[in-house]
Amino acid sequence: MNGFWFTDEQQAIRDGVLKLCARFDAGYWRRVDESGDFPEAFVTAMTQAGWLGAAMPVELGGSGLGLTEAAIAMQAVAESGAGFSGASALHLNIFGPMPLAKFGTDEQKTRLIPRLISGQDRMCFGVTEPDAGLDTTSLTTRAVRTNDGYVIRGRKMWTTMAQRATKMLIVARTTPRAEVAKATDGISLFYVDFDREKIQATPIPKMGRKAVESNAVFIDDLHVPADALVGEEGRGFYYLLEGLNPERVLIGAEAVGLGRAALNRAAGYARERVVFGRPIGQNQGVAHPLARAWMDLEAANLMAFKAAALHDAGRDCAAEANAAKYLGGEAGFRACETAVLTHGGMGYAKEYDVERYFRESMIARIAPVSREMIFNFIAERVLGQAKSY
């Protein structure tokens, strides 16, 4: 970014993504939300346009762009009206492979990442567990070493894309927690084939984003070769940390995009809907909440792109990334709520789309980290308060 605005090249990225997304109208996203069908045509179009490799290194077939450019692209997807249905169909493959690209061997990177960029492989990420939640160090999935590799057993929850994944990036304990000096040690990262004879994935019925499923995953005696290990054994938790800030920035930027989509719908409706002989937007009771939603979204957007710029400059962005996720999630939610209320009774009708946006807006308030844990982080790491948990 050049100060507070995009460079010509970055604006071209935004314009290019919006132009492609315009081929998939509100009716398309309404249908996949209703049916639960994966938005295959949309993902294929984005893949063919090269967006899956936007943040991957050039030598591996990617574009070598930064987090800023990835956030621009993903925000444009959400803002186009695709919302989190569109963003989540791509999100994991934009920055998800980064631990592999950063910590994998040269052989792993050259063999595996180009297949993700081209769409030959699709990956899911197995981190969250039913009994551990945000306490990743308490995960119980085990990877036990064998003569030629490892055997993995355990459970994962909220694993997105497991129904169509060919690969899974998964964290598992290689050393029991009781046997390590620090709880963060003894966790390893693996990139494995999604062997459906050994891995059972069951979709979780949920509130929104039906087109991109989340799963409960059960792994039973999955034998993986030694070269499935990414980086050093026992260092997986630290590899995960490398991807946490970028993910939070992307979620925050996408939430702003979703809020903008809802706000645009609401502003248009407020101009066109006439009650008592005047457009409802002429009433301050309607116009003021819309104005506040715009201001909240723009403020959250500045934090998201500040965090992205810090990351791309190699500077610490942890506080800003967490703040971007929180502010984006809250601003997006309020904008979507305002959009529903602006439409009155019709805001509850699927044909106006804002009810879908509202349901999806809850995602960024919950995932990938709760609001309360973000408050804890800021209180402890920025404001110097004692740890509360």
Side-chain angles (χ1 to χ4, degrees):
M1 294 179 69
N2 183 9
F4 293 100
W5 52 88
F6 297 150
T7 66
D8 291 344
E9 293 79 8
Q10 290 168 338
Q11 186 63 45
I13 289 171
R14 175 177 163 82
D15 293 343
V17 172
L18 287 174
K19 182 177 180 180
L20 188 155
C21 290
R23 293 158 48 186
F24 301 89
D25 62 10
Y28 175 84
W29 295 109
R30 208 175 301 137
R31 287 191 297 274
V32 297
D33 179 67
E34 186 72 25
S35 67
D37 293 336
F38 185 72
E40 196 69 58
F42 169 73
V43 172
T44 297
M46 291 292 285
T47 302
Q48 291 175 347
W51 292 112
L52 292 192
M56 292 294 104
V58 173
E59 61 271 20
L60 297 176
S63 301
L65 301 176
L67 179 57
T68 299
E69 288 75 22
I72 290 169
M74 295 305 294
Q75 184 179 80
V77 168
E79 189 175 339
S80 74
F84 274 109
S85 293
S88 297
L90 302 168
H91 178 101
L92 186 61
N93 283 288
I94 297 292
F95 254 85
M98 198 56 74
L100 182 61
K102 190 163 186 177
F103 301 107
T105 64
D106 289 342
E107 189 278 332
Q108 285 175 323
K109 290 185 283 191
T110 55
R111 174 168 55 90
L112 301 171
I113 289 181
R115 293 180 59 86
L116 288 170
I117 293 172
S118 68
Q120 290 174 276
D121 280 331
R122 285 181 178 167
M123 65 170 279
C124 62
F125 209 162
V127 180
T128 303
E129 296 190 359
D131 297 325
L134 291 172
D135 184 8
T136 303
T137 61
S138 294
L139 63 83
T140 58
T141 297
R142 286 295 312 278
V144 179
R145 192 182 297 189
T146 64
N147 290 333
D148 58 352
Y150 298 84
V151 175
I152 300 177
R153 304 180 183 93
R155 297 181 297 165
K156 298 294 179 181
M157 284 292 288
W158 298 107
T159 304
T160 299
M161 296 279 286
Q163 292 299 314
R164 55 194 47 79
T166 57
K167 297 286 186 178
M168 179 164 57
L169 197 61
I170 182 171
V171 286
R173 275 214 168 269
T174 41
T175 305
R177 182 169 177 172
E179 298 177 17
V180 293
K182 295 172 60 179
T184 51
D185 293 339
I187 297 172
S188 299
L189 183 65
F190 299 88
Y191 188 73
V192 305
D193 290 333
F194 202 102
D195 181 352
R196 296 188 183 274
E197 293 186 3
K198 300 294 184 180
I199 306 173
Q200 176 186 346
T202 304
I204 301 169
K206 58 188 192 298
M207 178 179 176
R209 207 196 66 182
K210 185 178 179 181
V212 182
E213 89 292 335
S214 302
N215 297 270
V217 174
F218 300 85
I219 306 155
D220 184 20
D221 289 343
L222 176 68
H223 291 257
V224 302
D227 65 2
L229 177 69
V230 178
E232 297 179 37
E233 184 177 298
R235 297 286 299 171
F237 181 84
Y238 304 100
Y239 301 156
L240 281 182
L241 293 179
E242 292 286 332
L244 294 184
N245 290 332
E247 182 181 29
R248 290 168 193 188
V249 173
L250 288 179
I251 289 287
E254 291 162 6
V256 169
L258 176 67
R260 285 174 172 172
L263 184 59
N264 287 338
R265 288 295 184 93
Y269 187 81
R271 289 191 297 270
E272 297 165 4
R273 173 67 169 157
V274 175
V275 178
F276 297 118
R278 54 196 264 162
I280 61 173
Q282 192 172 344
N283 301 308
Q284 292 181 354
V286 173
H288 286 185
L290 296 175
R292 178 175 178 175
W294 182 88
M295 290 187 282
D296 287 346
L297 289 169
E298 292 307 304
N301 194 55
L302 288 174
M303 181 61 79
F305 282 100
K306 177 183 179 182
L310 288 169
H311 178 275
D312 290 342
R315 300 176 63 178
D316 180 28
C317 68
E320 289 81 3
N322 276 280
K325 185 271 176 189
Y326 171 77
L327 294 172
E330 295 302 300
F333 171 79
R334 288 193 296 270
C336 291
E337 179 187 41
T338 299
V340 170
L341 295 174
T342 300
H343 283 73
M346 297 313 295
Y348 212 67
K350 289 184 180 294
E351 67 177 290
Y352 284 84
D353 296 298
V354 291
E355 64 81 31
R356 171 168 59 86
Y357 299 157
F358 180 69
R359 286 184 284 114
E360 292 186 355
S361 71
M362 286 300 297
I363 294 171
R365 302 183 88 203
I366 299 170
V369 61
S370 70
R371 297 176 297 168
E372 292 72 22
M373 288 301 287
I374 290 176
F375 293 154
N376 286 337
F377 182 91
I378 298 298
E380 294 159 21
R381 303 296 180 87
V382 179
L383 302 177
Q385 304 305 304
K387 189 172 182 178
S388 61
Y389 60 97

